[in-house]
Amino acid sequence: MTADAAAPVLVAKGVTKQFGGLVAVNAVDFDIPQGSIVSLIGPNGAGKTTFFNVVAGLYEPTDGSVEFAGREMIARGRRAWAEPLVWVLPTVIVMLVGVLLEQLTKSGAELAVALVIALGLLITMFLLAIIRPPIYDRLLYRLGIFKSARPNDMVVAGLGRTFQNIRLFKTMTASENVMVGMHSRLHASPLDAALRLPRHRREEKEADIQARRWLAFVGLKGKEQETARNLAYGDQRRLEVARALASQPRLLLLDEPTAGMNPSETAQMTTLFGRIRTELGLTILLIEHDMQVVMGVSDRITVLDHGDKISEGTPEEVRRDPRVIEAYLGKGASA
Amino acid sequence: MSGRSGTGTPPVAAGGTGRSGRASSPVWRVALGRVRAYMGRHQSLSIVIGLALFATALPFIVLLPPLNGFGTQKDFIGGFADAGVFVLLAIGLNVVVGFAGLLDLGYAAFFAIGAYTYAYGASPFSGLDIPFWPMLLVGAIVAAMFGVLLGAPTLRLRGDYLAIVTLGFGEIVPVVFLNADTYTNGTNGITGLAQPSAYGLFGVNGFGFTNPWPYFLTVVLIIAVAFIFLYRLQDSRIGRAWVAIREDELAAASMGINTVTTKLLAFSIGASTSGLAGVFYASKLSIVSPDQFGFTVSFTALAMVVLGGMGNIWGVAAGAFIVYEIQAQGLKQLGAFVQSLHIPTFALGPMSVDLGSINFINFQYLLYGLALVLMMLLRPEGLFPSRRRRSELHESPEEAAESNEELVQA
Amino acid sequence: MTGATARRRSLAVPWRAPLAAIVALAVAYFVILAGIVSDSSQQLTFTSAIPQAQAQFINAVTIGAIYALIALGYTMVYGIIELINFAHGEIFMCGSFVSWWLLTTLGFSGAITDPLLLVGVLLLAFAVSMVVMGIVGVVIERLAYRRLRNAPRLAPLITAIGVSFILQNIVFVVVSNSIVTTPQIIPNTVLTFGFFSISLINLFVIILAVGLMATLQLFISRTRLGRAMRSTAIDRDAAQLMGVDINTTIALTFFVGSALAGAAGVVQGLYFGITVFNIGFQAGLKAFTAAVLGGIGNTTGAALGGFVIGFLEVISSVWGQGRWSEAVVFGMLVLVLVFRPTGILGQQLADRA
């Protein structure tokens, strides 16, 4: 979507994630060029999904960082201890000013006013810290404090994802599921909604049209009002993709999107990936077990084993890499 | 709008049968279907009409036997106004528990805060005399603010921890009102709260202990406004986010929903409804004291929500009304009935059991407790279920276990 | 792998570190108490305040022991089925009424001076209360919770609240709606060991609580049934596949937890001499705080948490702010949950998000 097609959408540098003593992902460098389909493969327990979850903001990495769309989004927090200072500093300053003014004018009013303002500031900062709107994060960043992005921040920045085990909102209709995906692109406030102000109406109308469009795009036309749990398995997978697309991502993370599908469903899904790239111009990061799918659609493949990156390259290169064969088939197979 | 299913439109299965049955169904059914469809499109209007019909019918129903034997119409109307308070509490709690799926056990705290706000705004204790109507808004806003303040640190917690923390808050707030006696008059509470005035508008004046009618009308009005707002919120981006969080918080976050803000919103909207109820309640009783806002209030409201059907605004309101009337009228009449049977007393160790003079009102919490347990075991979706809850709660055990597994893996 | 670690909750942990922590805390508290006592009464210096501080210290340990006994039930049940058993506080309350009923029916009203008779009556009271409450706990689990084991999380929680109100209301209506005086059958004797003096009842309660807790630890860590409980807590399905009878194990957990609460109920009557129908709510909430404080699911932690809560309560009352003690305890609960949801001993409960 950006003019500079060569720049990578996502750059992971030395991403490491440890769970207790277990190193699930070990110093993985990785980048995803704009407009490509990149796959992540590896045997079970290789750390693919963990890497995915780090990128999506679910886990804070133990080490390393992830840059998304040119901005550092995910890394271990830096100078977290300084954050409370940011909360109390405005309050302290206002109080000091109040005391100073009171000393100068000798009337009690300034101190009282300062106290009220200070309290208000304290509460505001406290709320900001808990809600963490982008302004707050940016303020912290400017002060040299870094906090790793949460999943919702990543979505706002332009990352959409699906789950390995389907995690739709089961009691919602297909169309509602897609509209939840649009959440971060809609802006009606509770007041807009409660009073049915024009912004709410306009957005809802638009969202409804968009939802239909996305459902049609993934091939669920006519199933808008179907409850998600009642959809066929393959349709649920497709609905997850539609829901992810609805957040208007630049990068789509697909976690085993063809798992459990029959060959014809898999073929349809593979076609869908191609269309997502060509028609929507999105970049895709794919975790996949089905080698045929991976070899067929990927521009580049990265292979993980026991948390380490063991190979990277075009499908052809990876296919021939002895280390990959060894990882999949065991020692001796490559010889 | 009409095509989407926010609240009103039927699931596909029901829609299908409706269509096929239409050709052969009688005229009244077709008419009913049309009315339903119209109501679905004009929700606010249907709320107003529905509540107006109900409020008009109630005063006449109580004139019918056997109800007229239980009290005068005036007594009943006063009781209905009190029931309205609980309807407000229940629909507010429903936002937190039913929509967002957060178990809030300290809900009475916001009721207390609303009531004390009115006490500060319009009583000799504070020396202020702000009229009732603006105080309604002030009470709602103050309660919402406290909702945010109390909710902010706790909403990161998982469901059952949240329950216990809110329970703790619900205990602390009355303790503070009790112990900070310089500001709250302690146990005695604040008395002599101003009663509302309608300034003679529409010929209504004289809110007072002897004239419950204006209170009844006022509470119906407040309920109608709350209903409309809550229905609209439910059918919006916010409402969808609530349901998403309730169903799968992690997936919701991964779809770009700021879960903290969204939960906080549910908490504060629930709190503001409770605040409205508090202001109204305080103005009707003309007194506030800490013991009115204990855990039993939170518990009663929860029982009402569960009985009515979590997530369904009309259902919850109906549940609240029914529970309140059973408690206020039903148990009293039952007691009178059993007393007339003259059952002898018997002894059991140091205790003596006198079934004849049992005061059934004492049993109300036993009944609430039984109701909660039985509902959860037999009909977890409540008496008047929302479509969503029904399908959610009747999820098969395997599926539930599966979704648990997923949570662990992710 | 991640799934397994995330769900690892064990009912038993090493006890040496907590013991060291208890000793360290005890010393700190003693100094604090002495400081407060000497501060609040003008005549007393720090040294002369020590006897009074000592009495309060023992008082705190005793109250803490009661909370610890209740907290164990919360923590065991949570450990095994991840349910906050709201009804647990009411089990404690019912236990106190069972012992009141028994002692009153047997015709006791004051201290029993005959040591043999005293021991016999105590044994009887504890046995009856513990067994009865254990059975009540098992029945509650069978009727109210078992069917909801796979339901959405809110469902059993709401049921538990319902059960708690049922129990409370039954006692309220059937037994008494006001404070009941229970016979304090242990004589009011003060034992002195050098400069250290302790009354018989305090000594009894502390020894009893510590004994019960030690027995529980042994039971969990050494016996077959204890192993079954631990394995069920870690992974119910796997335990079932390995031949553990899940239903029996969970029922057993409820029995043991409720029996401990029943014992705490007897202690309540013996120590304070009163009980009332709504005592369970507050006590339960405080005991739950204790369980959370120690890291829920962790039995040693629960015991430690109980003592901490006992001390908090006593300190605030010595300070002359007894009426705020509830607010202090719940404030503590909120702080711990918000900043360290795994409790002081931590690690037992992984964040499952």
Side-chain angles (χ1 to χ4, degrees), chain A residues 68-182:
Chain A
F68 185 73
R71 242 179 63 209
E72 183 181 20
M73 298 289 287
I74 288 166
R76 199 165 177 174
R78 284 192 298 270
R79 284 195 225 162
W81 52 268
E83 200 189 342
L85 293 182
V86 179
W87 303 341
V88 293
L89 220 57
T91 308
V92 171
I93 292 171
V94 168
M95 284 305 292
L96 281 179
V97 170
V99 170
L100 211 68
L101 281 178
E102 201 218 358
Q103 289 300 316
L104 289 176
T105 60
K106 300 283 177 209
S107 77
E110 283 87 352
L111 197 62
V113 172
L115 200 69
V116 171
I117 296 175
L119 201 66
L121 275 174
L122 194 65
I123 292 173
T124 316
M125 289 311 288
F126 171 65
L127 283 181
L128 278 178
I130 278 162
I131 297 171
R132 270 180 78 185
I135 314 168
Y136 179 75
D137 274 350
R138 240 168 283 149
L139 172 76
L140 288 187
Y141 196 77
R142 206 165 296 162
L143 297 171
I145 302 166
F146 179 81
K147 290 181 89 178
S148 198
R150 297 162 299 176
N152 51 309
D153 299 327
M154 293 309 288
V155 178
V156 173
L159 183 139
R161 74 166 293 179
T162 66
F163 293 90
Q164 188 177 346
N165 334 62
I166 303 174
R167 300 185 77 153
L168 288 167
F169 305 114
K170 289 184 191 158
T171 65
M172 289 187 175
T173 63
S175 141
E176 282 173 317
N177 264 287
V178 178
M179 284 166 95
V180 171
M182 288 175 207

Side-chain angles (χ1 to χ4, degrees), chain B residues 156-246:
Chain B
R156 290 184 315 168
L157 300 172
R158 286 180 15 213
D160 31 14
Y161 276 15
L162 180 76
I164 215 89
V165 169
T166 51
L167 183 63
F169 273 137
E171 283 297 292
I172 291 176
V173 167
V175 168
V176 169
F177 281 129
L178 183 68
N179 289 341
D181 31 23
T182 340
Y183 308 103
T184 60
N185 221 9
T187 339
N188 300 327
I190 300 171
T191 50
L193 274 57
Q195 297 195 306
S197 157
Y199 310 107
L201 277 177
F202 314 113
V204 179
N205 43 27
F207 281 82
F209 297 118
T210 52
N211 184 9
W213 282 95
Y215 284 111
F216 176 64
L217 295 178
T218 308
V219 84
V220 170
L221 198 73
I222 299 173
I223 290 172
V225 173
F227 254 64
I228 290 172
F229 277 22
L230 294 182
Y231 257 111
R232 288 175 163 187
L233 278 175
Q234 188 188 25
D235 187 20
S236 76
R237 139 180 202 269
I238 318 283
R240 285 192 298 269
W242 284 335
V243 178
I245 287 179
R246 192 184 72 209

Side-chain angles (χ1 to χ4, degrees), chain A residues 59 127 130-131 152 155 165 167 169-172 176 179 183 186 188 190 193-194 196 200 204 208 225 229, chain B residues 3-5 12 148 232 236-237 240 243-244 247-248 253-254 256-258 260-261 265 388 391 399 406 410:
Chain A
Y59 298 150
L127 283 181
I130 278 162
I131 297 171
N152 51 309
V155 178
N165 334 62
R167 300 185 77 153
F169 305 114
K170 289 184 191 158
T171 65
M172 289 187 175
E176 282 173 317
M179 284 166 95
H183 187 89
L186 304 177
R196 286 284 185 264
H200 168 85
E204 287 292 293
D208 192 34
Q225 298 309 319
R229 65 181 317 146
Chain B
R4 289 203 309 94
S5 72
V12 170
V148 170
R232 288 175 163 187
S236 76
R237 139 180 202 269
R240 285 192 298 269
V243 178
E247 285 198 26
D248 188 339
S254 301
I257 294 169
N258 187 338
V260 178
T261 319
L265 204 61
R388 248 193 246 300
S391 78
E399 268 182 273
E406 284 169 32

Side-chain angles (χ1 to χ4, degrees), chain B residues 46-70:
Chain B
S46 53
I47 288 166
V48 171
I49 293 174
L51 279 176
L53 284 177
F54 190 63
T56 320
L58 269 183
F60 296 105
I61 291 173
V62 300
L63 294 177
L64 302 173
L67 292 176
N68 58 0
F70 298 158

Side-chain angles (χ1 to χ4, degrees), chain C residues 25-49:
Chain C
L25 278 178
V27 173
Y29 274 122
F30 194 79
V31 173
I32 294 172
L33 271 170
I36 294 172
V37 171
S38 61
D39 189 46
S40 55
S41 54
Q42 305 301 327
Q43 295 89 345
L44 289 176
T45 62
F46 188 83
T47 11
S48 61

